[in-house]
Amino acid sequence: MTTEDAPEIITDVPPTTNGDAVKEAEAAPTPVNGKTETLDLPTSAADGLIQKPFGKPLDISKPEAVQTLTADQQSKYDDVLKAVSAWTTVPNKSEKNSPTEPITDSERMWLTRECLLRYLRATKWHVSEAQDRLLHTLTWRREYGIEKLTPDYISIENETGKQVILGYDIHGRPCLYLIPSKQNTEKSERQIQHLVFMLERVIDLMGPGQETLALIVNFNETKSGQNATIGQAKQTVSILQNHYPERLGRSLIINVPFLIWGFFKIITPFIDPTTRQKLKFNEDLAKHVPPSQLLKSSGGEVDFTYDHSIYWPALNKLAEQRRETYHERWVKGGKLVGEFENYLKGEDVPSLSQTVASA
């Protein structure tokens, strides 16, 4: 999911108490349209039979430390921020000379400080290339129809629980499970849209100080025809690397049968070297995910039974609450391009406008 192997980097902004902020934000009910709504979410295997997403990481799960920007990196970030802040229109399609329309508030909100830095890292700090890729992704999000991928439209793809967002790894990354043996639909574009939809929900669930996810792929009991085709795999890799750079923290792949090894050998050339280093095959997942938030089927302690009528509404309501809070804070902060994601996620830190004012 990246073309860059530089360390995770962050500029000089107000300090964050990542773990405590996550605990406080997750423990408190989230205001929705002026009301407080709770979802009665579990926290660990000790809560018995699990049928909803976990509400927060364990207290011991802390995001990895990040580094301060160098003077040169800060200068390049400032150049990108100035350029994208001046955008007034975005092409509707990727084809040459495509008609454009005014940039929307949701697109401006997407252009956070951390988003710009992710694209700079993915392009080895090449300013013009980062700008081009950011605009290309905004165009792709319009053309692909990200905001039109609703829970109702995607629902049929997840009726068997073949993709599940559940628990957090040792670094507080939300875990996205892919379970090919539960495939329930014929090959179609909606299968790819399903993965994109779930990636967007994983991002919704990332707490302060967290930008990456843990991907867990369990091939146990997978039969011929249930795995993605080579074409689907190449399309997925392209989407992830081009439009979700720097989002993969770890990819944990277990119970890999002989035929799947051949599949990975075919698609590996399409995966950039840095992402390849994040792929871990047949390792003990308890070393990466606390057992009390890891599925029993993957070597953990969580007794999880997928019931679509319970899990799907809970996941989407939780994500909806996070997005509403995120948007409310963006508006409160002045609707600025380059806003701090930690502020938007509810951490008690100044907004961009407050930081500029105090400076």
Side-chain angles (χ1 to χ4, degrees):
M1 289 187 191
T2 177
T3 57
E4 153 68 11
D5 56 4
E8 297 291 319
I9 309 172
I10 194 167
T11 188
D12 291 323
V13 296
T16 171
T17 54
N18 291 333
D20 292 340
V22 171
K23 288 184 286 180
E24 293 171 4
E26 298 293 355
T30 305
V32 181
N33 297 328
K35 300 180 180 179
T36 298
E37 185 170 346
T38 60
L39 297 175
D40 190 26
L41 301 176
T43 58
S44 75
D47 291 324
L49 179 64
I50 305 300
Q51 293 186 295
K52 295 180 181 180
F54 287 119
K56 61 179 181 179
L58 296 178
D59 295 349
I60 60 173
S61 298
K62 312 288 187 182
E64 293 181 298
V66 291
Q67 297 181 352
T68 303
L69 291 179
T70 66
D72 180 60
Q73 290 166 345
Q74 181 64 51
S75 176
K76 290 178 178 179
Y77 170 77
D78 292 340
D79 289 343
V80 173
L81 176 62
K82 181 179 179 180
V84 302
S85 296
W87 288 346
T88 57
T89 60
V90 174
N92 291 326
K93 295 184 178 181
S94 55
E95 60 192 36
K96 191 175 181 180
N97 298 321
S98 170
T100 63
E101 290 187 6
I103 190 169
T104 66
D105 271 0
S106 64
E107 289 167 338
R108 286 170 51 81
M109 182 173 66
W110 180 81
L111 292 165
T112 62
R113 170 187 163 280
E114 287 71 23
C115 176
L116 306 190
L117 288 174
R118 286 191 288 272
Y119 278 75
L120 275 166
R121 292 195 301 267
T123 57
K124 296 183 171 63
W125 297 90
H126 194 289
V127 171
S128 61
E129 186 178 347
Q131 291 171 196
D132 289 344
R133 284 190 59 178
L134 282 160
L135 186 59
H136 180 53
T137 293
L138 283 178
T139 299
W140 173 81
R141 291 176 70 86
R142 282 189 175 188
E143 189 172 14
Y144 200 72
I146 292 294
E147 295 184 358
K148 296 179 181 178
L149 301 181
T150 64
D152 285 346
Y153 173 71
I154 296 298
S155 177
I156 189 174
E157 291 291 340
N158 216 69
E159 287 182 349
T160 56
K162 65 188 178 189
Q163 293 190 30
V164 173
I165 300 170
L166 192 81
Y168 297 79
D169 78 357
I170 59 174
H171 295 298
R173 301 183 185 104
C175 298
L176 171 60
Y177 290 81
L178 306 186
I179 311 171
S181 64
K182 295 189 176 182
Q183 181 59 263
N184 64 317
T185 60
E186 298 296 326
K187 298 291 188 291
S188 69
E189 179 60 29
R190 184 155 53 183
Q191 290 184 345
I192 306 297
Q193 293 170 334
H194 178 206
L195 178 59
V196 170
F197 177 88
M198 296 298 274
L199 285 171
E200 292 287 320
R201 302 295 74 79
V202 170
I203 292 170
D204 289 337
L205 271 53
M206 290 177 184
Q210 187 56 259
E211 300 180 54
T212 62
L213 65 99
L215 183 67
I216 300 175
V217 187
N218 188 347
F219 283 101
N220 188 40
E221 298 183 357
T222 299
K223 298 180 177 61
S224 177
Q226 291 182 313
N227 191 41
T229 65
I230 298 299
Q232 286 179 317
K234 290 169 64 176
Q235 183 183 358
T236 298
V237 169
S238 175
I239 289 174
L240 297 179
Q241 293 183 164
N242 290 323
H243 305 302
Y244 294 90
E246 298 288 324
R247 285 299 197 181
L248 180 66
R250 184 71 72 213
S251 182
L252 307 168
I253 306 164
I254 61 175
N255 297 314
V256 184
F258 178 77
L259 290 177
I260 300 300
W261 279 121
F263 175 83
F264 275 110
K265 287 182 180 179
I266 293 174
I267 67 169
T268 294
F270 302 99
I271 304 175
D272 69 81
T274 304
T275 298
R276 272 182 247 157
Q277 294 176 4
K278 298 176 181 179
L279 302 178
K280 304 296 179 181
F281 292 91
N282 291 331
E283 292 196 357
D284 179 1
L285 298 195
K287 295 179 180 179
H288 300 279
V289 183
S292 63
Q293 287 205 345
L294 177 65
L295 294 182
K296 280 186 177 180
S297 59
S298 296
E301 301 171 354
V302 177
D303 183 11
F304 176 77
T305 299
Y306 187 82
D307 185 325
H308 192 63
S309 67
I310 297 174
Y311 177 89
W312 196 243
L315 169 68
N316 287 291
K317 177 54 70 174
L318 175 61
E320 178 187 349
Q321 290 179 354
R322 298 290 179 81
R323 290 195 301 274
E324 289 185 355
T325 298
Y326 193 95
H327 179 263
E328 288 168 4
R329 290 177 70 85
W330 186 68
V331 172
K332 183 179 179 181
K335 303 173 77 171
L336 299 180
V337 169
E339 186 59 87
F340 304 134
E341 286 185 3
N342 282 353
Y343 161 77
L344 294 173
K345 292 175 181 179
E347 189 170 7
D348 186 17
V349 296
S351 66
L352 175 59
S353 61
Q354 290 172 324
T355 302
V356 171
S358 63

